[in-house]
Amino acid sequence: MKDFIDELEQNQTLPRGDWITLITNFTPEDAQYLFERARVIQNQHYGNQVFIRGLIEFTNYCKNDCYYCGIRRSNRNAQRYRLTKDSILNCCRKGYKLGFRTFVLQGGEDGHFTDAALVEIVSAIRQEFPDCAITLSVGERSRESYEALYSAGANRYLLRHETYDHAHYARLHPSELSAAHRQQCLWDLKDIGYQVGTGFMVGSPLQTAETLTDDMLFLKKLNPQMVGIGPFIPHHDTPFADQTPGTLSLTLFLLGAIRLMLPKVLLPATTALGTIAENGREHGVLAGANVVMPNLSPANVRENYLLYDNKICTGDEAAESVEHLQQSMQAIGYNIVVSRGDSLNI
Ligand code: SF4
């Protein structure tokens, strides 16, 4: 498989059949070879820097019912909460002092946060923190809504495409949601001028090497500024409670492959990666990732934003532990930096 890895590095893509072969047949030795190449490329563009983003999970209400998600509307056991504008601003203040220069506002699709409400929040953050990037991750909205939020000062938008394959998408979501609409949102966001992040779960139910290949080819086509992938982890209160989780090895392999395919992309070592394995995030960085997103939400709500079981939300995952995070990154030769950390993939 090393030939395929060399070809991927050289051409920054592979023919569809070769992707399928590589994803299906790679060995641990192939993975080590891929990670070495990914680190070289990461270093060429970003040195040994790891960027941090302060994650503020500001609402866990959601009108949608995605089959894999712990905060889906049908989950009556979820303890619902919303943060106020003041509380969100306080998270930003705390984060700024800790060295964060990007705030990520993430939430379910919560009708309480109308365009006007979100514009007010984004404008207030923009005014108080002119040197920071504001990232939104609030799902599918209208183009007008995205435009209003961009005008209010949001710079970046995260919207995982989840799976490119329309039939597979339909197995993970109820019929009112579609892959086509989600992908259109991503094209709209890009067109408006956002730095866009997308991505998918690794090991989601019914995923195949073919659907993963289509995910890789979609990433190549969209050419986003950031790609977030993490293992699927089942949540006990969802229809997928008994499904098998995604693996560390495949997630890491795909992280390395994405670094070769989109050399300058921002690539987070996700919370889900840190949840399925001890030192999962460090493994992620050593496979080519260069972003971590500690949690800046108030401590008393963190455990309620439970998208999947056993999600880590204290310890190094908490924003308060930046110093410790720095130590663990330094131990593997990397350095947390105080920076907006804009993508070089433009
Ligand atoms: S995955 Fe997102 S849109 Fe779907 S139910 Fe969960 S929070 Fe809502």
Side-chain angles (χ1 to χ4, degrees):
M1 292 294 108
K2 283 187 182 161
D3 290 355
F4 285 0
I5 295 169
D6 289 339
E7 187 186 338
L8 174 60
E9 180 177 352
Q10 210 167 15
N11 299 341
Q12 297 173 11
T13 191
L14 285 176
R16 190 167 191 280
D18 291 355
W19 267 122
I20 295 170
T21 307
L22 182 63
I23 290 169
T24 309
N25 297 318
F26 76 88
T27 64
E29 292 72 37
D30 295 327
Q32 286 313 317
Y33 180 68
L34 172 69
F35 301 154
E36 277 167 33
R37 298 311 309 154
R39 288 198 294 271
V40 168
I41 292 166
Q42 177 187 348
N43 210 273
Q44 274 169 7
H45 299 296
Y46 291 102
N48 69 345
Q49 297 184 332
V50 173
F51 300 122
I52 49 172
R53 278 68 166 101
L55 182 63
I56 303 168
E57 296 161 334
F58 70 98
T59 171
N60 72 350
Y61 284 86
C62 188
K63 68 177 166 68
N64 292 332
D65 219 12
C66 308
Y67 301 148
Y68 48 83
C69 179
I71 61 169
R72 63 200 298 266
R73 69 163 187 261
S74 295
N75 183 8
R76 306 268 173 258
N77 295 326
Q79 300 286 319
R80 306 285 171 175
Y81 72 90
R82 290 186 181 105
L83 301 185
T84 61
K85 183 178 91 174
D86 285 347
S87 176
I88 294 169
L89 280 168
N90 279 334
C91 294
C92 296
R93 288 175 193 131
K94 185 176 80 175
Y96 195 88
K97 281 197 200 124
L98 289 165
F100 290 89
R101 295 296 178 268
T102 291
F103 304 120
V104 182
L105 269 59
Q106 186 161 71
E109 294 193 15
D110 179 359
H112 174 86
F113 290 98
T114 58
D115 291 349
L118 267 186
V119 161
E120 194 184 325
I121 292 167
V122 169
S123 305
I125 300 173
R126 175 52 60 236
Q127 196 177 0
E128 191 169 334
F129 302 98
D131 56 331
C132 292
I134 302 172
T135 304
L136 296 176
S137 176
V138 287
E140 296 178 32
R141 301 174 78 94
S142 66
R143 184 176 172 118
E144 294 69 37
S145 173
Y146 291 148
E147 282 169 346
L149 293 165
Y150 187 76
S151 300
N155 317 91
R156 305 179 184 152
Y157 205 102
L158 308 182
L159 185 76
R160 285 183 172 191
H161 69 278
E162 301 301 358
T163 178
Y164 176 79
D165 182 89
H166 293 222
H168 185 217
Y169 194 93
R171 305 297 291 270
L172 304 179
H173 301 89
S175 58
E176 63 267 22
L177 297 174
S178 74
H181 187 259
R182 200 158 182 91
Q183 289 161 24
Q184 186 54 49
C185 286
L186 283 163
W187 291 112
D188 284 346
L189 288 160
K190 247 199 135 185
D191 193 45
I192 291 166
Y194 282 95
Q195 297 170 34
V196 169
T198 193
F200 54 89
M201 293 177 292
V202 178
S204 61
L206 303 167
Q207 188 176 64
T208 62
E210 285 78 10
T211 64
L212 278 173
T213 292
D214 289 337
D215 291 326
M216 299 304 266
L217 295 173
F218 175 66
L219 291 180
K220 186 69 192 168
K221 192 169 163 202
L222 181 70
N223 195 27
Q225 280 69 50
M226 181 172 130
V227 177
I229 65 167
F232 161 72
I233 304 175
H235 184 287
H236 60 279
D237 279 325
T238 64
F240 289 157
D242 298 327
Q243 297 287 327
T244 310
T247 63
L248 178 69
S249 61
L250 183 55
T251 308
L252 294 176
F253 190 81
L254 292 173
L255 275 174
I258 293 167
R259 173 61 66 212
L260 263 55
M261 183 175 73
L262 300 170
K264 296 181 182 174
V265 84
L266 291 169
L267 204 50
T270 57
T271 308
L273 195 57
T275 299
I276 56 159
E278 204 173 332
N279 303 327
R281 275 183 318 202
E282 286 88 334
H283 286 300
V285 170
L286 291 171
N290 64 339
V291 174
V292 286
M293 296 171 69
N295 199 322
L296 266 180
S297 311
N300 63 323
V301 301
R302 278 180 203 167
E303 62 187 27
N304 294 329
Y305 203 88
L306 204 61
L307 302 180
Y308 47 82
D309 284 346
N310 305 316
K311 182 182 162 208
I312 47 174
C313 57
T314 55
D316 273 8
E317 201 47 40
E320 294 81 356
S321 307
V322 173
E323 231 169 88
H324 194 256
L325 191 59
Q326 172 72 298
Q327 287 164 9
S328 39
M329 289 299 143
Q330 281 176 346
I332 56 168
Y334 290 81
N335 214 8
I336 300 277
V337 287
V338 175
S339 158
R340 270 174 57 120
D342 285 301
S343 182
L344 300 175
N345 197 39
I346 45 175

